[in-house]
């Protein structure tokens, strides 16, 4: 595997279900990101992790819970979602630095996304 | 937060013609301007980027120009081919935060 991978690629869940999205990067990066992509809207940054520490929570509802056990893996735990949460969820990674978070010069590389449908 | 406006939202061009996408931004602290291409069923892929100390950059058929004074930057695709059909996103980066435009759906007609 190369680059950034995400599983599952498609997920359908009910509003009372609990599910998790997984992201893995094979680029040796230390910063990882979750984005939400809804139709006709710009990509929205949700969370940022740098060296396993969360550095950004962009006012995301608590029904989305991220987890970063190491610099290569990122999870997004989902529970009691709403139909409006249906979207493409994208993971990205970048080099990152130990001091002060990812650098502004860092290029972000995206995975293929998980298409989530909440019924 | 940063506001990035991207135009047009859709663009149809004849194969071999040029395509131009324009973006404006508001945050003068933005210093890095990547362009991403997203094909159906895939995540955004970086195709070209430009940094604030550069006014223009070219990579084969793709070029990007930046006017920091006016806070706008553009993507130019020359000699378009069917495989150029995709959604293109401009973005600005301030610190580590990427702010995206809403995207341009480009269709190259054979």
């Amino acid at each position: 595997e190369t680059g950034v991978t995400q599983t599952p690629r498609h997920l359908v869940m009910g509003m009372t279900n609990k599910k998790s999205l997984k992201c893995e990067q094979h680029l040796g990066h230390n910063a990882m990101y979750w984005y939400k992509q809804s139709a006709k809207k710009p990509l929205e940054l949700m969370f940022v992790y740098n060296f396993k520490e969360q550095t950004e929570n962009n006012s995301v509802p608590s029904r989305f819970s991220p987890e970063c056990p190491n610099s290569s893996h990122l999870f997004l735990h989902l529970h009691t979602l709403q139909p409006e949460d249906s979207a493409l969820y994208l993971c990205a990674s970048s080099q990152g630095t130990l001091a002060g978070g990812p650098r502004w010069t860092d290029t972000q590389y995206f995975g293929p996304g998980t298409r989530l449908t909440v019924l | 937060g940063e506001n990035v406006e991207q135009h047009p939202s859709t663009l149809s061009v004849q194969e071999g013609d040029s395509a131009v996408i324009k973006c404006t931004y508001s945050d003068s602290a933005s210093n890095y301007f990547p362009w991403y291409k997203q094909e159906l069923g895939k995540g955004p892929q970086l195709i070209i980027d430009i940094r604030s100390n550069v006014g223009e950059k070219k990579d084969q058929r793709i070029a990007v120009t930046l006017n920091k004074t006016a806070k706008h930057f553009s993507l130019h695709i020359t000699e378009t081919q069917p495989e150029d059909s995709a959604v293109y996103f401009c973005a600005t980066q301030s610190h580590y935060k990427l702010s995206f435009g809403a995207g341009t759906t480009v269709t190259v007609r054979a």
Side-chain angles (χ1 to χ4, degrees):
Chain A
E1 288 282 10
T2 58
V4 182
T5 58
Q6 291 186 241
T7 54
R9 295 294 310 275
H10 301 271
L11 178 63
V12 179
M13 60 187 288
M15 293 168 60
T16 58
N17 292 158
K18 288 185 179 181
K19 297 286 185 183
S20 295
L21 310 184
K22 179 183 176 182
C23 174
E24 184 173 2
Q25 59 92 5
H26 308 269
L27 300 169
H29 290 164
N30 295 292
M32 298 188 77
Y33 310 75
W34 279 117
Y35 286 87
K36 177 183 180 182
Q37 186 176 31
S38 304
K40 309 297 183 186
K41 293 177 67 176
L43 276 76
E44 301 171 54
L45 178 66
M46 300 175 70
F47 301 104
V48 181
Y49 279 82
N50 185 58
F51 284 83
K52 301 187 296 180
E53 298 297 320
Q54 188 180 122
T55 58
E56 181 81 17
N57 177 337
N58 198 23
S59 303
V60 180
S62 59
R63 57 186 183 270
F64 294 91
S65 175
E67 179 190 1
C68 188
N70 55 62
S71 292
S72 298
H73 294 85
L74 184 66
F75 295 89
L76 188 62
H77 304 299
L78 315 171
H79 64 98
T80 59
L81 294 192
Q82 306 298 311
E84 58 265 29
D85 296 322
S86 299
L88 182 68
Y89 288 85
L90 292 160
C91 173
S93 72
S94 70
Q95 187 60 48
T97 62
L98 267 174
R103 296 168 296 191
W104 64 266
T105 53
D106 281 356
T107 296
Q108 295 183 26
Y109 296 89
F110 286 82
T114 295
R115 173 67 64 185
L116 174 68
T117 302
V118 181
L119 301 177
Chain B
E2 171 70 286
N3 181 36
V4 181
E5 294 197 2
Q6 182 172 345
H7 299 281
S9 58
T10 60
L11 180 60
S12 179
V13 296
Q14 190 68 38
E15 183 177 357
D17 288 350
S18 296
V20 180
I21 303 170
K22 298 182 178 182
C23 290
T24 60
Y25 63 98
S26 58
D27 187 355
S28 57
S30 295
N31 280 304
Y32 174 57
F33 306 87
W35 285 87
Y36 286 85
K37 174 184 180 182
Q38 187 172 23
E39 297 175 301
L40 201 61
K42 298 183 179 180
Q45 300 298 309
L46 181 74
I47 56 171
I48 195 168
D49 56 13
I50 191 167
R51 303 185 189 279
S52 62
N53 57 344
V54 176
E56 184 173 353
K57 182 177 178 180
K58 188 173 181 180
D59 182 4
Q60 299 182 0
R61 297 186 296 107
I62 295 173
V64 58
T65 59
L66 170 65
N67 184 328
K68 279 216 78 179
T69 303
K71 295 193 183 69
H72 64 72
F73 56 114
S74 301
L75 177 72
H76 303 252
I77 307 173
T78 59
E79 300 172 26
T80 52
Q81 300 168 6
E83 54 264 36
D84 294 328
S85 295
V87 181
Y88 292 81
F89 294 94
C90 64
T92 66
Q93 187 156 307
S94 176
H95 303 290
Y96 56 80
K97 293 186 182 182
L98 268 179
S99 298
F100 285 84
T104 298
T105 301
V106 173
T107 303
V108 179
R109 307 186 307 272

